[in-house]
């Protein structure tokens, strides 16, 4: 082990020597620590602290040809992004992880399809090292763009844009998702176990896999007991209200509703109240998400399927950094990650 | 005038000739139209349409050394940005204007001061042509950063970071703000005209000029009638509730409250109700902002000082594009712009 020499700026080599590791290992820790065993990370970090090592980012950028920035692309109009706490939670998780890697988060908003030409120019212009994209719709042009320009990208939500062409197969496309189908199945089974028999579903926009998968879970649970009844919403309170109105019109005897997200459940609550139905007395109601403050502050508070939204954001960012750093043995791209959901019981069901 | 030649791609020169204007004027229209008289803009756009001219962005970027992107920096934690509709409104206005200039909006979040090193590296890295910054606090490091790296920047809100050093004088610093002081004065005078006599103020964080200026307006209006009574909040509902609790403790006879924004007013509403006070019967309440849906959906709906938040966003972006394009005669930077406010009367006062 070397002692710090006063007056000279410590090098990465000095850090490696001080920690008793290779230069490559020390470098990996400085660049985020991916693929380095925990006790070695600790030793390198101790050495960094003891020697007062300061990484030279400009030099690092030159050597690695990296910008130190990652684009986050949310394929929804800005009005949705700012009104649904799902998005802020996901961004929060991403921001925490990128900050831990000293990487700048660059948020790109997509108001409509016309914006993609500009976004492609920006991504192709070498201003970011990689991209995180979420809330994509089935025919979203983004995957083709990122493939064309060779931009490492991790997706939030199961990709739904390739059907049968094998393009996303096992390789290349990395994504993080919640167990939407399993969570939905659990919610509807819970309603069945409470003796509810006419259970309707308010689906999200069915060109998003999260909405389609939750509808599949609803169908799984009802398979044995009988007829499905669902209307498509758009993940907003207004869309939930419209769908609820339609469902009551089609079947006035509904005794339970599983809504594809909490915001649509709040819209449904309003319509049920206006129609003179009590919740949970006449109609039990279950949502999906549990992103504060929607489900908890509803009246009555919503039973809902919780997904770890912030955790999924962190995971997306971690997988991208892993990919950018080449992984411990130079391999790229682990498998997709599906995170568990959990039913949270409150007053509405 | 030339006719389009079939099979060849029309040049900017051809557009200029077709429109009967100089190449420089045609170029200016293609790049956003700043400083070109309306009838010339129309003629050039007609020529573009008739010839089927497509600007070559890559070439343009090379020639102008521009990235075609602008950073939007909001100096607030992400949790505030996503929960206060003020920010989404401002971003919406900026996005609309930048889209009209075919310029990519790049949103940078500032969670804490430690993030500024990374933001400086990103801004200095040549990834954006200019910056729009808002919600700055008095000692914010951003103005020094943008000066140091020579980044053209337009601010939202009157800069409060130079006191007496003359640094922001008349030159260089361009900003857009609402008439915070005038709007606050009008709100408090309205309460006085209704016979209210013990009017308290819930101020925003006083290290922001918007909060300080609204406090000044409150003081202006009360100067003749008597003692001021205010507590500092933080522009959130929780901060408004805390301040309201403190104010009631200091003076149980308060008959009116002017809150520095609508979110704090909703927090105050809750505390007033819990203290058994009716609004507006016992206590009249006025807010500030009128960004949907807060004031309108409060119970009772809030009388408030409306500011044109989206319009201010558009204006910030327009001033920056003007600056980047050098203006009609090469001049840079017009004067600060102060936009008018208007009292919107609803049930709360």
């Amino acid at each position: 082990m070397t002692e710090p020499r006063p007056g000279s700026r410590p090098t990465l080599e000095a850090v490696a020597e001080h920690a008793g590791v290779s230069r490559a290992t020390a470098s990996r820790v400085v660049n985020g620590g991916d693929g380095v065993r925990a006790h070695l990370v600790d030793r390198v970090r101790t050495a960094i602290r003891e020697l007062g090592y300061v990484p030279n980012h400009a030099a690092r950028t030159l050597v690695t040809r990296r910008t130190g920035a990652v684009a986050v692309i949310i394929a929804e109009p800005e009005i949705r992004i700012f009104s649904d706490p799902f998005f802020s939670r996901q961004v929060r998780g991403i921001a925490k992880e990128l900050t831990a890697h000293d990487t700048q988060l660059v948020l790109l908003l997509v108001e409509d399809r016309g914006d993609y030409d500009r976004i492609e120019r920006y991504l192709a212009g070498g201003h970011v090292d990689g991209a995180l994209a979420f809330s994509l719709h089935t025919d979203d042009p983004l995957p083709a763009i990122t493939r064309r320009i060779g931009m490492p990208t991790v997706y939030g939500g199961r990709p739904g844009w390739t059907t049968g062409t094998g393009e996303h197969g096992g390789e290349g496309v990395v994504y993080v998702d919640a167990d939407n189908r399993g969570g939905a199945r659990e919610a509807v089974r819970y309603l069945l176990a409470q003796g509810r028999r006419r259970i309707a579903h308010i689906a999200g926009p069915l060109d998003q896999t999260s909405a389609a998968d939750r509808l599949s879970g609803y169908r799984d649970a009802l398979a044995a007991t009988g007829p499905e009844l669902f209307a498509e919403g758009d993940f907003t309170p207004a869309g939930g209200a419209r769908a609820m109105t339609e469902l009551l019109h089609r079947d006035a005897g509904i005794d339970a509703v599983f809504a594809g997200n909490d915001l649509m459940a709040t819209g449904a609550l309003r319509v049920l109240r206006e129609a003179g139905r009590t919740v949970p007395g006449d109609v039990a109601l279950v949502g999906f998400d549990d992103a504060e403050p929607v489900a908890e502050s509803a009246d009555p508070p919503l039973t809902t399927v919780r997904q770890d939204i912030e955790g999924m954001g962190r995971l997306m960012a971690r997988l991208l950094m892993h990919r950018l750093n080449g992984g411990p043995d130079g391999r790229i791209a682990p498998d997709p990650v599906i995170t568990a959901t959990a039913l949270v019981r409150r007053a509405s069901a």
Side-chain angles (χ1 to χ4, degrees), chain A:
Chain A
M1 303 251 174
T2 46
E3 287 303 306
R5 285 164 299 168
S8 75
R9 191 172 161 157
T11 62
L12 186 61
E13 287 72 15
V15 169
E17 204 180 332
H18 195 76
V21 302
S22 70
R23 190 188 180 286
T25 298
S27 168
R28 231 171 258 143
V29 174
V30 167
N31 287 284
D34 274 331
V36 179
R37 273 169 298 161
H39 75 281
L40 294 181
V41 171
D42 283 348
R43 265 160 60 185
V44 174
R45 291 206 172 133
T46 303
I48 286 171
R49 204 169 48 243
E50 288 179 4
L51 297 180
Y53 171 75
V54 181
N56 182 335
H57 289 282
R60 196 172 93 199
T61 302
L62 273 177
V63 170
T64 60
R65 289 191 190 157
R66 294 260 289 264
T67 64
V70 160
V72 173
I73 304 164
I74 313 181
E76 295 283 348
E78 152 273 330
I79 195 161
R80 277 270 294 131
I81 295 172
F82 282 95
S83 59
D84 188 338
F86 177 90
F87 298 108
S88 57
R89 277 293 185 93
Q90 189 103 299
V91 170
R92 189 179 315 163
I94 291 170
K96 279 185 184 163
E97 188 66 23
L98 291 183
T99 297
H101 289 269
D102 199 22
T103 293
Q104 181 61 45
L105 187 163
V106 164
L107 188 58
L108 306 180
L109 306 177
V110 184
E111 199 64 27
D112 57 48
R113 291 292 159 96
D115 293 342
Y116 275 114
D117 281 351
R118 207 170 54 238
I119 284 177
E120 176 167 1
R121 287 200 302 277
Y122 192 74
L123 293 178
H127 304 301
V128 292
D129 302 322
L132 299 166
F134 57 91
S135 208
L136 263 56
H137 297 251
T138 314
D139 56 346
D140 203 287
L142 191 66
I145 291 172
T146 58
R147 259 199 310 270
R148 186 158 57 234
I149 64 179
M151 171 72 57
T153 305
V154 173
Y155 292 91
R158 182 171 67 80
W161 60 81
T162 48
T163 45
T165 67
E167 268 174 325
H168 77 88
E171 340 169 59
V173 172
V174 184
Y175 69 90
V176 174
D177 206 346
D179 181 10
N180 290 304
R181 186 167 182 163
R185 200 162 41 213
E186 189 186 356
V188 178
R189 283 188 181 152
Y190 173 74
L191 290 167
L192 286 168
Q194 294 197 316
R196 306 286 172 166
R197 283 301 169 264
R198 296 170 90 163
I199 304 173
H201 176 46
I202 299 176
L206 292 170
D207 66 343
Q208 295 195 307
T209 58
S210 57
D213 290 352
R214 290 170 204 174
L215 174 60
S216 298
Y218 164 80
R219 285 173 164 160
D220 292 346
L222 280 198
T225 59
E228 65 179 43
L229 174 64
F230 77 93
E232 189 174 347
D234 58 2
F235 282 150
T236 72
R242 273 194 303 274
M244 191 67 247
T245 304
E246 183 191 328
L247 290 167
L248 282 177
H249 184 73
R250 279 158 54 191
D251 183 351
I254 289 168
D255 64 4
V257 175
F258 165 53
N261 77 344
D262 293 334
L263 284 179
M264 293 196 298
T266 64
L269 252 183
R270 186 168 57 72
V271 168
L272 288 167
R273 186 174 301 128
E274 285 166 9
R277 308 292 208 284
T278 60
V279 174
D282 298 327
V283 180
L285 180 62
V286 178
F288 204 107
D289 275 354
D290 205 31
E292 276 173 32
V294 182
E296 250 182 300
S297 67
D299 179 22
L302 297 174
T303 292
T304 187
V305 181
R306 175 182 293 167
Q307 48 177 342
D308 181 7
I309 301 169
E310 189 173 324
M312 288 192 290
R314 287 200 82 133
L315 213 46
M316 284 172 67
R318 198 172 302 152
L319 290 176
L320 181 65
M321 296 314 295
H322 182 81
R323 195 171 177 162
L324 293 177
N325 292 332
D329 51 2
R331 269 193 312 112
I332 275 181
D335 296 324
V337 182
I338 308 297
T339 61
T341 60
L343 191 72
V344 179
R345 296 177 200 192
R346 297 202 185 90
S348 75

